[in-house]
Amino acid sequence: MSELEKYEKLRSYIEQQIMEEQNNLNSVGLAEKLAKQMQLHFLFQMKDKMNQLDEED
């Protein structure tokens, strides 16, 4: 698997995780919701960084 394929696979995984976490926010308690929001924030940061790297290429 090439580096580009690995990168695209990671991007796809991050986007899938974002969608799953956003869909699950409505069905959890407050502490769990906060943890999921923090996880979403981290995933969005990773996605933004990947987008920045794409723009640099």
Side-chain angles (χ1 to χ4, degrees):
M1 185 181 296
S2 73
E3 290 300 313
L4 181 58
E5 289 172 324
K6 290 177 186 177
Y7 181 79
E8 290 301 322
K9 189 173 182 177
L10 177 60
R11 177 189 296 281
S12 176
Y13 174 77
I14 290 170
E15 289 174 351
Q16 179 183 359
Q17 289 296 320
I18 288 171
M19 286 191 306
E20 287 178 12
E21 293 303 329
Q22 285 176 326
N23 289 337
N24 290 334
L25 277 177
N26 294 328
S27 62
V28 296
L30 187 59
E32 206 172 343
K33 187 176 284 191
L34 178 59
K36 288 187 177 292
Q37 286 175 332
M38 291 173 67
Q39 183 177 8
L40 271 171
H41 179 72
F42 174 73
L43 290 169
F44 276 121
Q45 284 182 322
M46 286 181 63
K47 186 177 175 186
D48 288 344
K49 184 62 176 175
M50 293 176 90
N51 288 339
Q52 287 175 357
L53 291 172
D54 287 346
E55 290 173 6
E56 291 174 7
D57 289 342

PDB file of all heavy atoms in Angstrom, residues 44-56:
ATOM      1  N   PHE A  44     -11.639  16.734  14.206  1.00  0.00           N
ATOM      2  CA  PHE A  44     -11.727  17.879  13.302  1.00  0.00           C
ATOM      3  C   PHE A  44     -10.359  18.546  13.140  1.00  0.00           C
ATOM      4  O   PHE A  44     -10.000  18.982  12.048  1.00  0.00           O
ATOM      5  CB  PHE A  44     -12.755  18.906  13.790  1.00  0.00           C
ATOM      6  CG  PHE A  44     -14.172  18.582  13.385  1.00  0.00           C
ATOM      7  CD1 PHE A  44     -15.143  18.397  14.344  1.00  0.00           C
ATOM      8  CD2 PHE A  44     -14.521  18.474  12.060  1.00  0.00           C
ATOM      9  CE1 PHE A  44     -16.450  18.103  13.982  1.00  0.00           C
ATOM     10  CE2 PHE A  44     -15.830  18.185  11.679  1.00  0.00           C
ATOM     11  CZ  PHE A  44     -16.797  17.996  12.641  1.00  0.00           C
ATOM     12  N   GLN A  45      -9.583  18.620  14.219  1.00  0.00           N
ATOM     13  CA  GLN A  45      -8.241  19.193  14.129  1.00  0.00           C
ATOM     14  C   GLN A  45      -7.365  18.359  13.196  1.00  0.00           C
ATOM     15  O   GLN A  45      -6.621  18.914  12.385  1.00  0.00           O
ATOM     16  CB  GLN A  45      -7.587  19.277  15.509  1.00  0.00           C
ATOM     17  CG  GLN A  45      -8.107  20.398  16.366  1.00  0.00           C
ATOM     18  CD  GLN A  45      -7.397  20.451  17.700  1.00  0.00           C
ATOM     19  OE1 GLN A  45      -7.082  19.427  18.305  1.00  0.00           O
ATOM     20  NE2 GLN A  45      -7.133  21.652  18.177  1.00  0.00           N
ATOM     21  N   MET A  46      -7.469  17.042  13.311  1.00  0.00           N
ATOM     22  CA  MET A  46      -6.688  16.162  12.432  1.00  0.00           C
ATOM     23  C   MET A  46      -7.103  16.360  10.978  1.00  0.00           C
ATOM     24  O   MET A  46      -6.267  16.445  10.080  1.00  0.00           O
ATOM     25  CB  MET A  46      -6.873  14.699  12.829  1.00  0.00           C
ATOM     26  CG  MET A  46      -6.143  14.317  14.091  1.00  0.00           C
ATOM     27  SD  MET A  46      -6.347  12.577  14.520  1.00  0.00           S
ATOM     28  CE  MET A  46      -5.591  11.774  13.121  1.00  0.00           C
ATOM     29  N   LYS A  47      -8.404  16.448  10.755  1.00  0.00           N
ATOM     30  CA  LYS A  47      -8.910  16.632   9.394  1.00  0.00           C
ATOM     31  C   LYS A  47      -8.444  17.975   8.830  1.00  0.00           C
ATOM     32  O   LYS A  47      -8.023  18.059   7.673  1.00  0.00           O
ATOM     33  CB  LYS A  47     -10.435  16.542   9.395  1.00  0.00           C
ATOM     34  CG  LYS A  47     -11.039  16.567   8.026  1.00  0.00           C
ATOM     35  CD  LYS A  47     -12.539  16.394   8.090  1.00  0.00           C
ATOM     36  CE  LYS A  47     -13.141  16.556   6.715  1.00  0.00           C
ATOM     37  NZ  LYS A  47     -14.591  16.529   6.750  1.00  0.00           N
ATOM     38  N   ASP A  48      -8.513  19.034   9.643  1.00  0.00           N
ATOM     39  CA  ASP A  48      -8.051  20.353   9.204  1.00  0.00           C
ATOM     40  C   ASP A  48      -6.566  20.329   8.852  1.00  0.00           C
ATOM     41  O   ASP A  48      -6.142  20.923   7.857  1.00  0.00           O
ATOM     42  CB  ASP A  48      -8.313  21.415  10.278  1.00  0.00           C
ATOM     43  CG  ASP A  48      -9.780  21.763  10.413  1.00  0.00           C
ATOM     44  OD1 ASP A  48     -10.571  21.433   9.498  1.00  0.00           O
ATOM     45  OD2 ASP A  48     -10.142  22.368  11.439  1.00  0.00           O
ATOM     46  N   LYS A  49      -5.769  19.645   9.664  1.00  0.00           N
ATOM     47  CA  LYS A  49      -4.330  19.552   9.391  1.00  0.00           C
ATOM     48  C   LYS A  49      -4.077  18.806   8.088  1.00  0.00           C
ATOM     49  O   LYS A  49      -3.218  19.205   7.294  1.00  0.00           O
ATOM     50  CB  LYS A  49      -3.626  18.853  10.559  1.00  0.00           C
ATOM     51  CG  LYS A  49      -2.137  18.794  10.407  1.00  0.00           C
ATOM     52  CD  LYS A  49      -1.534  20.194  10.358  1.00  0.00           C
ATOM     53  CE  LYS A  49      -0.032  20.138  10.304  1.00  0.00           C
ATOM     54  NZ  LYS A  49       0.564  21.451  10.144  1.00  0.00           N
ATOM     55  N   MET A  50      -4.833  17.745   7.856  1.00  0.00           N
ATOM     56  CA  MET A  50      -4.695  17.007   6.602  1.00  0.00           C
ATOM     57  C   MET A  50      -5.063  17.889   5.414  1.00  0.00           C
ATOM     58  O   MET A  50      -4.406  17.861   4.371  1.00  0.00           O
ATOM     59  CB  MET A  50      -5.557  15.740   6.621  1.00  0.00           C
ATOM     60  CG  MET A  50      -5.071  14.717   7.615  1.00  0.00           C
ATOM     61  SD  MET A  50      -6.139  13.278   7.707  1.00  0.00           S
ATOM     62  CE  MET A  50      -5.364  12.261   6.456  1.00  0.00           C
ATOM     63  N   ASN A  51      -6.111  18.703   5.573  1.00  0.00           N
ATOM     64  CA  ASN A  51      -6.496  19.620   4.498  1.00  0.00           C
ATOM     65  C   ASN A  51      -5.398  20.643   4.236  1.00  0.00           C
ATOM     66  O   ASN A  51      -5.117  20.987   3.079  1.00  0.00           O
ATOM     67  CB  ASN A  51      -7.818  20.328   4.834  1.00  0.00           C
ATOM     68  CG  ASN A  51      -9.007  19.400   4.753  1.00  0.00           C
ATOM     69  OD1 ASN A  51      -8.962  18.359   4.093  1.00  0.00           O
ATOM     70  ND2 ASN A  51     -10.074  19.754   5.431  1.00  0.00           N
ATOM     71  N   GLN A  52      -4.759  21.136   5.296  1.00  0.00           N
ATOM     72  CA  GLN A  52      -3.661  22.082   5.136  1.00  0.00           C
ATOM     73  C   GLN A  52      -2.499  21.428   4.377  1.00  0.00           C
ATOM     74  O   GLN A  52      -1.907  22.052   3.491  1.00  0.00           O
ATOM     75  CB  GLN A  52      -3.146  22.576   6.499  1.00  0.00           C
ATOM     76  CG  GLN A  52      -4.053  23.532   7.187  1.00  0.00           C
ATOM     77  CD  GLN A  52      -3.550  23.885   8.591  1.00  0.00           C
ATOM     78  OE1 GLN A  52      -2.534  23.356   9.046  1.00  0.00           O
ATOM     79  NE2 GLN A  52      -4.252  24.788   9.262  1.00  0.00           N
ATOM     80  N   LEU A  53      -2.205  20.183   4.712  1.00  0.00           N
ATOM     81  CA  LEU A  53      -1.125  19.470   4.027  1.00  0.00           C
ATOM     82  C   LEU A  53      -1.469  19.271   2.556  1.00  0.00           C
ATOM     83  O   LEU A  53      -0.594  19.366   1.688  1.00  0.00           O
ATOM     84  CB  LEU A  53      -0.863  18.126   4.709  1.00  0.00           C
ATOM     85  CG  LEU A  53      -0.256  18.194   6.106  1.00  0.00           C
ATOM     86  CD1 LEU A  53      -0.225  16.820   6.736  1.00  0.00           C
ATOM     87  CD2 LEU A  53       1.127  18.804   6.059  1.00  0.00           C
ATOM     88  N   ASP A  54      -2.739  19.002   2.271  1.00  0.00           N
ATOM     89  CA  ASP A  54      -3.163  18.846   0.871  1.00  0.00           C
ATOM     90  C   ASP A  54      -2.962  20.141   0.092  1.00  0.00           C
ATOM     91  O   ASP A  54      -2.546  20.115  -1.056  1.00  0.00           O
ATOM     92  CB  ASP A  54      -4.631  18.445   0.792  1.00  0.00           C
ATOM     93  CG  ASP A  54      -4.872  17.004   1.203  1.00  0.00           C
ATOM     94  OD1 ASP A  54      -3.885  16.246   1.298  1.00  0.00           O
ATOM     95  OD2 ASP A  54      -6.035  16.639   1.437  1.00  0.00           O
ATOM     96  N   GLU A  55      -3.285  21.256   0.732  1.00  0.00           N
ATOM     97  CA  GLU A  55      -3.156  22.553   0.055  1.00  0.00           C
ATOM     98  C   GLU A  55      -1.687  22.902  -0.205  1.00  0.00           C
ATOM     99  O   GLU A  55      -1.387  23.568  -1.181  1.00  0.00           O
ATOM    100  CB  GLU A  55      -3.814  23.653   0.890  1.00  0.00           C
ATOM    101  CG  GLU A  55      -5.320  23.547   0.927  1.00  0.00           C
ATOM    102  CD  GLU A  55      -5.966  24.526   1.881  1.00  0.00           C
ATOM    103  OE1 GLU A  55      -5.278  25.385   2.450  1.00  0.00           O
ATOM    104  OE2 GLU A  55      -7.197  24.446   2.049  1.00  0.00           O
ATOM    105  N   GLU A  56      -0.802  22.431   0.652  1.00  0.00           N
ATOM    106  CA  GLU A  56       0.616  22.711   0.471  1.00  0.00           C
ATOM    107  C   GLU A  56       1.209  21.932  -0.701  1.00  0.00           C
ATOM    108  O   GLU A  56       2.185  22.363  -1.283  1.00  0.00           O
ATOM    109  CB  GLU A  56       1.394  22.387   1.762  1.00  0.00           C
ATOM    110  CG  GLU A  56       1.090  23.335   2.893  1.00  0.00           C
ATOM    111  CD  GLU A  56       1.761  22.919   4.191  1.00  0.00           C
ATOM    112  OE1 GLU A  56       2.574  21.965   4.174  1.00  0.00           O
ATOM    113  OE2 GLU A  56       1.466  23.539   5.224  1.00  0.00           O
TER     114      GLU A  56
END
